[in-house]
Amino acid sequence: MTKDVIALTPRMPDPLSVLAGLLSGGPDKLVGTERDGAVVQLCDERGRPLVSVEAPLLVQVAGEAERLLGAVPPPLPFWWTEARATTGVAEAEQLAGTFAARLASLAGGTAWPRAAARSLAVVRTDGVSVAPAPAAAQPAVDVLTDKVAVVIQDRPVVAMTAWLSDAFRATAQAELGLQIVSPAGTTLSPAVRDSLGGWPSRWVVQDERDGYYDGLSGAVLRWQEGMFATVVAADATPDDPRTPVAAAFKEVADTGERQLAVSFRAVRPADDRLVLGGALESVWRELTGGPPAGWGTAEPANLPWSPTRLTEVAFGRSPEPTWAVVVGTPERPGLATVRISRTKAGVEEDVRLAFGYGDGEEPPLDALRRTAETLATRHHLQSMLVQLRKARRDLGVPPRFEGPGVPVAFVLGAEEVRTMPGDRARHTPLPEPPVPLGPKARPALYYPMPGDPSDLAGWADFERLMRHLKGPEGAEGA
């Protein structure tokens, strides 16, 4: 049975409905709160949490329940109420299911997964106890060691939920790695992949043949010395410490699906008239014909797209950075992560964006130069890289090998071109010269990558360009 259970309801769960759900363990269960009341917990007799319930979230963006759960939700808008059971306690999982079932029954909705929310009866928990703190003190964390925090996620898509976002923050503050464990059929949201960082954080996939492996690298893993770590091959040597790769990771079939990935950074002067998100919206409109559908500070993205509201949230959190996820429509899958931070140069927007295309759908490569010019002339573009990659249309990251994206264009902002010594930015080793964008006196430069976008030789062109732009002094310091 899954550890996470979610109620999707057309009406906001009122206090009586939530109370009825909380009484799923009987009237003698203790109730506590965390995060200033944003999380309500059913606890055992010693005050340790059995089930943690997140505050209901109003979802106003189409397609999020389908994308993250494969569930059919009520009509928009609807309420998303998530409960997480303490790992390894069967009664806790039953409590979470009963809570969601009662909430869905009273508020007129459904519960996900249906198998976890079958009964409305009180769950017997006499004598049940749970793991002691500190692991139980963080609802999303299932195992805590002196090296990593382990989160078990049994859902179709491991998304950057409020639970998981809290776990990322907590582990970063404690200088620990975060390891996410999921079954083989699960995919990873790009928002989570982009946040995992380096060792010892990793995505751990359960596998029948190899036990566990890293879902992003394929390396076979074992639990050793307080964390999941790579297995050393039997024939490894000190000079060649090889790691076995899981057989499941190498089982890849070309479906014809592709993704167009756009990464860019823009730095705007900080003033009271600044509106954030305009650069991202411009890219979205140029490449899809319309704006993003929604955004949020966690998944599901629950708010209709609004640069004004994004700006208000970022300014309210300043000088701390703001992280947000932005999504497209089900008809044109798109997902971006945005990190907004205050720097000496101004307000920086660091964006990683991807659009998905099925077999027979053509990415709009002819619109890239126009997109770059819009960013360079209106949004203080610093740099942009565009790649084409063989990957899923739905943007989910599978625990299988996905080849690297192939660069099809790189853009250097006007300020970066201006500060580069001599004519280094204009005279490159590439066969095609860069294309000036914007004012002739102070242009940005667009570097097309020659050849077939499906040809991995594009990386050689890109690396040659980067070495050239860095110059001899950059190469020495690299």
Side-chain angles (χ1 to χ4, degrees), residues 131-390:
Q138 170 56 253
V141 173
D142 297 290
V143 178
L144 187 66
T145 74
D146 60 350
K147 297 177 181 177
V148 298
V150 178
V151 175
I152 300 173
Q153 292 276 275
D154 186 7
R155 45 204 297 172
V157 179
V158 177
M160 186 61 83
T161 60
W163 304 112
L164 197 54
S165 180
D166 285 346
F168 269 107
R169 281 192 292 269
T171 53
Q173 292 171 359
E175 298 183 347
L176 298 172
L178 182 66
Q179 298 191 334
I180 301 170
V181 181
S182 71
T186 296
T187 62
L188 204 65
S189 165
V192 177
R193 177 197 58 198
D194 296 346
S195 300
L196 264 179
W199 182 91
S201 297
R202 63 173 78 241
W203 176 27
V204 181
V205 179
Q206 296 174 311
D207 181 63
E208 292 183 354
R209 287 172 286 184
D210 291 294
Y212 298 92
Y213 68 93
D214 189 303
L216 299 180
S217 72
V220 176
L221 306 173
R222 294 287 183 273
W223 182 261
Q224 44 194 332
E225 297 182 0
M227 65 178 179
F228 284 99
T230 54
V231 173
V232 178
D235 57 349
T237 66
D239 295 330
D240 185 12
R242 284 171 286 170
T243 297
V245 176
F249 185 78
K250 296 182 285 187
E251 295 173 349
V252 181
D254 187 358
T255 63
E257 296 176 299
R258 288 179 290 177
Q259 292 176 13
L260 185 65
V262 182
S263 303
F264 68 88
R265 181 173 297 167
V267 181
R268 305 281 298 278
D271 60 52
D272 294 338
R273 296 170 297 175
L274 175 62
V275 177
L276 300 168
L280 174 59
E281 181 173 329
S282 293
V283 173
W284 216 290
R285 287 184 180 275
E286 291 285 359
L287 297 180
T288 71
W295 76 285
T297 55
E299 291 180 290
N302 65 309
L303 299 170
W305 173 245
S306 170
T308 301
R309 181 63 181 132
L310 174 62
T311 303
E312 291 172 351
V313 171
F315 276 26
R317 295 184 175 187
S318 184
E320 293 299 316
T322 294
W323 181 94
V325 60
V326 182
V327 298
T329 63
E331 295 74 28
R332 172 52 60 224
L335 188 144
T337 57
V338 184
R339 183 176 176 83
I340 300 167
S341 54
R342 184 68 183 267
T343 68
K344 293 180 179 180
V347 179
E348 179 179 298
E349 294 177 84
D350 198 339
V351 178
R352 302 182 70 172
L353 164 65
F355 296 109
Y357 301 88
D359 189 16
E361 293 182 308
E362 291 298 325
L365 300 181
D366 57 346
L368 293 178
R369 188 177 301 179
R370 185 174 65 248
T371 302
E373 182 143 25
T374 299
L375 290 178
T377 56
R378 300 180 187 176
H379 298 289
H380 299 263
L381 177 68
Q382 192 174 71
S383 63
M384 180 174 82
L385 174 63
V386 183
Q387 302 174 61
L388 192 62
R389 53 195 306 261
K390 295 180 179 180

Side-chain angles (χ1 to χ4, degrees), residues 411-435:
V411 185
L412 200 61
E415 181 63 19
E416 283 62 40
V417 171
R418 186 189 68 82
T419 58
M420 195 161 289
D423 289 333
R424 185 185 300 167
R426 293 173 177 82
H427 301 290
T428 73
L430 299 182
E432 295 186 43
V435 179

Side-chain angles (χ1 to χ4, degrees), residues 443-469:
L445 292 177
Y446 178 94
Y447 301 87
M449 298 290 115
D452 183 351
S454 65
D455 186 355
L456 288 178
W459 271 116
D461 294 323
F462 179 73
E463 291 170 359
R464 189 161 58 249
L465 174 62
M466 292 298 100
R467 286 195 299 268
H468 172 79
L469 293 178

